[in-house]
Amino acid sequence: MEILFDTMERLLSLTSLEIVRSCMDTIKWNRRLISLRGSRGVGKTTLMLQYVKLHYPAGSRKALYCSVDNIYFATHSILELAENFYKYGGEMLLLDEIHKYNGWSREIKEIYDSLPTLKVVISGSSVLNIINADADLSRRCRNHDIYGLSFREYLKFYRNLDFPVYSIEDLLHQAPEICNKVNEVCRPLSEFEKYNKAGYFPFFEDDVEDYYYTLQNVSNYIIEQELPSLCGIDSSYARKIKALLCVVATGVPYEVDLTKLSQMIGLARTTTLDYLQKLEKAQLLTLLYSDTINVKKMQKPDKMYLQNTNLLQAYSLRRPHIGTVRETFAVLHMRVGHSVEYGKEHGDFVVDGKYTFEVGGKDKSFKQIADIPDSYLLVDEIEYAVGNRLPLWLIGFLY
């Protein structure tokens, strides 16, 4: 066990507290069992290490972070580790990459039941299914989905500009004041363009091509390794799934014709729908429906997008359609903490069943949503809000 503490201390020494994401304060760390789920590269490991560094003194043996792909687990079980850690006064055990450990759910359940004062944090792939795990953990585990950087977090992470999270009501009703505050310290349109190209993942280092290469490697790992092992997707279909992502990335905002899409990538219709839903769980796609309350498990989505604008740039075979970039940005931010429906003929999106949004360029008019209450334009290429005409980048302050 000492080798795990040594490894943790080395990692903690390299972990900066200069920027701590706001989701740190929304995670229920005091629960006995929580999970952090998210795509590779969104910062789950950093969150866990920062929590240890913030709440336990250097050299403490009361908290232990380790990745379960450490060679230690070739000859030891996580149950054995937890029991030994608990015996010597351990309070919080943080287990990273839990999906790489066979039979993890049964041992986590045993830890939960037999060591009632030990807090356990597990992190894993966004496709990690706690509810359908081998042991029923759904009643025991509090799940937290971790996403990449919002536009607000990008400004903090890369530009050292600190703004609070705003509720959707605050953004809509205090838009002029918020826009003034942002414009006093930066040119939001310039930063917005940079964010959409290379700002979602917190590992951009000034080389866009290298960044996109890394994104493709991350998504390839999800498609070729995680989806087959965790979701039962046939690994021989990996090439077709990548082709599907390219199709979505290259076109205009994609209204789903499932039969045409199935023919295009060479998969059966039901298989294509199943794969779309699993790609959404993997945080590679976003699927929108026109009725989220009555949506059925095997109902086709009305519209779909790459999950974030950086993936859109990485997978597009040519310069992405500007309308697709705009809508992808809007959906990404509105979906965190809110329900979003496809608006069809009445605006692009309906949020929380109340607010209607139409997305477009600076010449966009209210024509399509003129008579709809609580309707707003999200407009690209403007810096300030005027009435219900809001800058598109403003929605990036929702999380």
Side-chain angles (χ1 to χ4, degrees), residues 375-387:
S375 60
Y376 299 83
L377 287 183
L378 294 177
V379 182
D380 197 4
E381 304 172 287
I382 66 172
E383 294 179 311
Y384 296 93
V386 178

Side-chain angles (χ1 to χ4, degrees), residues 174-184 383-385 391 393-394:
Q174 301 174 28
E177 294 85 352
I178 298 170
C179 289
N180 286 339
K181 291 178 182 177
V182 175
N183 278 277
E184 285 173 0
E383 294 179 311
Y384 296 93
W393 54 262
L394 189 64

Side-chain angles (χ1 to χ4, degrees), residues 25-43:
D25 298 326
T26 64
I27 296 170
K28 305 297 183 183
W29 297 99
N30 286 328
R31 292 285 294 266
R32 287 184 54 202
L33 176 61
I34 66 171
S35 74
L36 308 182
R37 301 184 301 190
S39 178
R40 294 175 66 84
V42 296

Side-chain angles (χ1 to χ4, degrees), residues 76-132:
H76 300 80
S77 69
I78 57 176
L79 176 58
E80 177 188 351
L81 170 66
E83 289 175 339
N84 288 333
F85 176 59
Y86 178 78
K87 287 176 185 176
Y88 288 95
E91 296 177 351
M92 177 174 278
L93 181 61
L94 302 98
L95 300 169
D96 207 356
E97 302 279 2
I98 194 69
H99 59 282
K100 295 183 178 179
Y101 185 97
N102 290 330
W104 63 270
S105 58
R106 290 189 296 273
E107 293 193 35
I108 292 295
K109 179 180 180 297
E110 180 66 22
I111 292 169
Y112 184 95
D113 291 341
S114 62
L115 304 174
T117 64
L118 181 66
K119 296 174 185 175
V120 179
V121 180
I122 59 176
S123 90
S125 166
S126 55
V127 298
L128 192 69
N129 198 335
I130 299 296
I131 294 176
N132 293 330

Side-chain angles (χ1 to χ4, degrees), residues 348-379:
D348 290 316
F349 311 115
V350 178
V351 176
D352 295 338
K354 179 179 181 180
Y355 303 110
T356 299
F357 294 95
E358 182 78 11
V359 179
K362 61 183 178 181
D363 297 324
K364 190 72 175 181
S365 74
F366 279 92
K367 181 179 179 180
Q368 290 178 272
I369 55 174
D371 300 322
I372 300 175
D374 293 311
S375 60
Y376 299 83
L377 287 183
L378 294 177
V379 182

